[in-house]
Amino acid sequence: MNICLLAGDGIGPDILKQARKAFSAVEKKFGHSFAFTEALIGGAAIDATGGPLPEETVTKCKASDAVLLGAVGGPKWDDVAMNIRPEKGLLGIRKALGLFANLRPAALFKELAPACYLRPDIVAQGIDVLVIRELTGGVYFGEPRGEGQRDGERAAFNTMIYKESEIRRIAKVGFESARKRRGKLCSVDKANVLDVSRFWREIVIDEHTNYPDVELSHQYVDNAAMQLVRAPSQFDVIVTENLFGDILSDEAAAITGSIGMLPSASLGAANPGLYEPIHGSAPDIAGQDKANPLATILSVAMLLRFSLNLAVEAEAIETAVKTALAQGLRTGDIMQPGQRLVGCEEMGEAVAALI
Ligand code: NAD
């Protein structure tokens, strides 16, 4: 089983080091053997090669069964030309691997309930949402885009566009995922204003005929943003387009209390899938043994489950993370009174030992 590791920038190398320990623990416990290759992406790749996504990285990723990414970006590269910014590496690898579905589970660990930003009576109803974001279409990639002149002054524009096939395949991921969970899918759009959203809704409703057992609902994105903080327990699976999903998945993540806890998977029609924590490169704490490695370690669990079909091994990791939290281990971002503050290394060691 070949895993390609893309550490990236900032805390990327810190957290991937801990992820490796989780892989090693799984190897020992279950008798597997993982082969790792490393490749450059983001600012690290700009420094070494002049661009954020070297061809060699794409080749190595395509040759692997799954890719684990740290994070990209940082102030050092804020002023580089738009077309070679670190984020372009991320968008580029998603495109190169055909990863059209981004799965972000936002579940509240009961040990971290006090860190949740919502009222205790709302928290008590539980938060366990899977946000599925379309990843390769919409306004982030639509053409035409650029700068020009309108009415005698400078203007800039992007295009929000979806083909029917793009909506259908992400809707399928939504319905299939809902089937494996609590059977509820909420499609989020802005059909009261946007033509592209009216089309989105039409296709999702049509696709629903193949999944009559799944309960389908629709919400406008502004309402969904509000409902996520007012009554998140109503949601099982949310499916939405790229831009709305970017924002809603961060919102769903934030209400759980720590961005350092949440994994993600980006999947295409076949392997390799790409797995990464949802947070950024946290340059403010990079290299200081302060990063929370749990989002990355939980991304390893998703990788084992979705790309390598190792569900029992994935569960062993998830249980180890829960146990570490139950034992009171906390990195700075999730620290609460009465718990024990640990660094990135110690948290990684502890989870590996618990696996
Ligand atoms: P960020 O997620 O990097 O950091 C936001 C805050 O959360 C910071 O205070 C940071 O210290 C903290 N934080 C994040 N992850 C943490 C962890 N694992 N443990 C403890 N604390 C953690 O977002 P930002 O500050 O807006 O962006 C920093 C850089 O990351 C920028 O260059 C941005 O473009 C990039 N970025 C990359 C990705 C990605 O690689 N997927 C995503 C978002 C932002």
Side-chain angles (χ1 to χ4, degrees), residues 217-238:
S217 61
H218 305 271
Q219 275 182 20
Y220 298 138
V221 62
D222 43 346
N223 185 33
M226 185 173 68
Q227 294 300 331
L228 266 173
V229 291
R230 285 185 60 178
S233 67
Q234 72 185 279
F235 295 111
D236 178 15
V237 180
I238 290 175

Side-chain angles (χ1 to χ4, degrees), residues 71-90:
V72 300
K76 185 178 174 194
W77 303 281
D78 275 351
D79 298 325
V80 301
M82 197 62 188
N83 62 331
I84 60 155
R85 283 186 63 85
E87 295 78 10
K88 290 280 175 190
L90 203 53

